[in-house]
């Protein structure tokens, strides 16, 4: 199993551009989520999904969209990038929709810079 | 919502010494407390977790303690080794879960 795969690993955008961060998992996990990691702020939840067709907002959802059309994929879309979205983004998945019953498996991260 | 505070933000210990990282949480309904280790350039990885019906859990050199009354939990690493150098995150979530709240992280450096 490849686990959780994120692409791209690095991306530079100009303010106002759009892009999609891809996330795929091959573990048949129900739960998938996106976090952003900023210095001194830890990992903050952006959006999450407890199954195909179901998504919900996390702590910092503004400026981001998600969809979950399949169990395997959970893309994160930035519609109009802003410098405040410069960050390292992590996709994570777990077997069930209840994080207190299962380990979160993280991808290796996508470093995004918005100029 | 849940708020998790983590201290210290950086910690330097000599090889063989012990390291302790402390976290407090705000939501008394939280009942699951995992710890994640993040090595340079990698995603976080679960190293140990504890549930609210347990006061302490140990796995080789790593132990976690939980005080539900005071709403704090701690990670203890004994006989530290250079490969323990990493960023460590505590986290908390409640029964409805799906929203694991992380602390701000502790950068641990183990020096020779």
């Amino acid at each position: 199993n490849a686990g959780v795969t994120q692409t791209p690993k690095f991306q530079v955008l100009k303010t106002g551009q759009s892009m999609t961060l891809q996330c795929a998992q091959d573990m048949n996990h129900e739960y998938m989520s996106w976090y952003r990691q900023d210095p001194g702020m830890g990992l903050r939840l952006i959006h999450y999904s407890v199954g195909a067709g179901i998504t919900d907002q996390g702590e910092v959802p503004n400026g981001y969209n998600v969809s979950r059309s399949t169990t395997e994929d959970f893309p994160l879309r930035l519609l109009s990038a802003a410098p405040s979205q410069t960050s390292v983004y992590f996709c994570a998945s777990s077997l069930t929709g209840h994080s207190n019953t299962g380990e979160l498996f993280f991808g290796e991260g996508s470093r995004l810079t918005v100029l | 919502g849940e708020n998790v505070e983590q201290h210290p933000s950086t910690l330097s210990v000599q090889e063989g010494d012990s390291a302790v990282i402390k976290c407090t949480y705000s939501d008394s309904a939280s009942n699951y407390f995992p710890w994640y280790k993040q090595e340079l350039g990698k995603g976080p990885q679960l190293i140990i977790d504890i549930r609210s019906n347990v006061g302490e859990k140990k796995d080789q050199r790593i132990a976690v303690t939980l005080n539900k009354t005071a709403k704090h939990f701690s990670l203890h690493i004994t006989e530290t080794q250079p490969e323990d150098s990493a960023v460590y995150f505590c986290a908390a979530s409640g029964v409805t879960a799906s929203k694991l709240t992380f602390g701000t992280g502790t950068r641990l450096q183990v020096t020779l």
Side-chain angles (χ1 to χ4, degrees):
Chain A
N1 288 349
V4 178
T5 303
Q6 290 183 233
T7 57
K9 289 193 186 325
F10 301 94
Q11 183 72 49
V12 178
L13 289 178
K14 293 181 180 178
T15 296
Q17 286 185 317
S18 63
M19 77 155 300
T20 299
L21 297 177
Q22 301 290 347
C23 176
Q25 53 88 12
D26 61 358
M27 299 174 282
N28 201 32
H29 283 175
E30 289 183 5
Y31 179 84
M32 296 186 74
S33 56
W34 278 102
Y35 285 86
R36 59 177 289 174
Q37 183 175 18
D38 302 292
M41 304 194 74
L43 294 154
R44 292 182 293 168
L45 183 64
I46 304 171
H47 286 286
Y48 65 96
S49 168
V50 297
I54 305 169
T55 63
D56 206 346
Q57 296 181 350
E59 182 185 355
V60 287
N62 292 343
Y64 307 95
N65 280 352
V66 292
S67 59
R68 184 95 181 270
S69 55
T70 67
T71 300
E72 295 78 18
D73 300 297
F74 192 45
L76 179 71
R77 298 183 185 85
L78 286 72
L79 298 179
S80 179
S84 61
Q85 294 178 304
T86 294
S87 187
V88 181
Y89 292 85
F90 286 97
C91 180
S93 72
S94 72
L95 184 61
T96 73
H98 299 281
S99 64
N100 67 347
T101 60
E103 175 180 357
L104 269 181
F105 292 84
F106 284 83
E108 296 209 327
S110 299
R111 183 176 292 275
L112 175 66
T113 301
V114 183
L115 302 175
Chain B
E2 176 66 273
N3 182 49
V4 177
E5 295 190 357
Q6 182 172 347
H7 299 281
S9 56
T10 60
L11 180 59
S12 182
V13 299
Q14 284 197 319
E15 183 180 6
D17 288 350
S18 295
V20 180
I21 302 170
K22 299 182 179 181
C23 290
T24 60
Y25 62 98
S26 61
D27 188 351
S28 56
S30 289
N31 63 354
Y32 176 63
F33 308 93
W35 286 87
Y36 283 80
K37 175 184 180 182
Q38 184 181 28
E39 297 178 344
L40 195 62
K42 303 282 188 182
Q45 193 167 12
L46 179 71
I47 55 171
I48 195 167
D49 58 14
I50 192 168
R51 288 172 172 78
S52 60
N53 58 344
V54 176
E56 183 174 356
K57 185 176 179 181
K58 196 171 182 180
D59 183 4
Q60 298 183 349
R61 297 185 297 108
I62 293 174
V64 57
T65 58
L66 171 64
N67 183 329
K68 283 220 74 180
T69 303
K71 290 191 282 189
H72 66 70
F73 56 112
S74 300
L75 178 71
H76 304 254
I77 305 174
T78 59
E79 300 172 18
T80 53
Q81 301 168 2
E83 52 265 37
D84 294 329
S85 295
V87 178
Y88 292 81
F89 291 98
C90 62
S93 78
V95 176
T96 54
S98 301
K99 292 187 179 182
L100 194 60
T101 301
F102 284 85
T104 51
T106 296
R107 182 174 298 278
L108 173 65
Q109 183 171 8
V110 180
T111 58
L112 298 174

